[in-house]
Amino acid sequence: QPATVNVNTPSTVVQGSTFEMIVAPGPFVIPTDVSGYALAAMSDITIRFPLSPNLTWVDGVMSASTNTGTGYPSISFDGTDVVYKVPGPFTPGATVQMPLVKLQVTASGPVGSSAEVKMRSLSATASVAILGVPSVCTPPNQVFGTTTITGAAT
């Protein structure tokens, strides 16, 4: 199923400043079958974004969502990744709007460096009949946004 992710990040920030990056997944439809097998449910959608070494994680908050099941969505920082999880379960055929995420980060890299926003992976579990089939998708090395770190204005 095609899905989109929009990232809004400033083009430049002053070194040492804390700023917001907005990650906004677009709506998508949960498939009704997987390789010809009827899908009973989908769960545990997890998106991992590597945090640029030129940024320092401060915090993350999520907005409301629709048709994302009874589980509680979360945003966390694990190793070098921002981890966005929505446990579901998701109903086959439903149009889902994942939560928008506001990340607070600090520009900790050297002046002139940049911070790119990319997606490392997307994973989910599809339940067909009595089996739960985990899957992981590794997207192309697409850059969703870039912020350049500048010096303070004099």
Side-chain angles (χ1 to χ4, degrees):
Q1 288 288 341
T4 60
V5 176
N6 295 307
V7 176
N8 184 359
T9 185
S11 58
T12 62
V13 294
V14 175
Q15 182 185 42
S17 65
T18 297
F19 64 99
E20 280 188 350
M21 297 168 51
I22 309 287
V23 179
F28 65 96
V29 177
I30 300 297
T32 56
D33 67 83
V34 175
S35 299
Y37 295 96
L39 184 67
M42 182 174 280
S43 60
D44 302 320
I45 294 179
T46 302
I47 304 172
R48 297 181 79 88
F49 294 93
L51 188 66
S52 168
N54 294 322
L55 300 176
T56 302
W57 165 267
V58 176
D59 196 14
V61 294
M62 302 176 97
S63 71
S65 56
T66 57
N67 293 328
T68 55
T70 57
Y72 187 74
S74 65
I75 189 81
S76 62
F77 187 65
D78 179 29
T80 60
D81 289 350
V82 174
V83 182
Y84 174 93
K85 290 185 181 183
V86 183
F90 303 93
T91 303
T95 298
V96 172
Q97 177 60 64
M98 303 285 273
L100 176 138
V101 177
K102 289 184 182 181
L103 300 174
Q104 278 192 320
V105 293
T106 299
S108 54
V111 170
S113 65
S114 62
E116 294 181 334
V117 179
K118 299 179 181 183
M119 186 184 342
R120 184 180 310 279
S121 66
L122 182 144
S123 62
T125 300
S127 298
V128 287
I130 60 171
L131 299 173
V133 182
S135 64
V136 176
C137 169
T138 304
N141 197 20
Q142 179 179 356
V143 176
F144 292 98
T146 302
T147 298
T148 301
I149 300 172
T150 64
T154 55

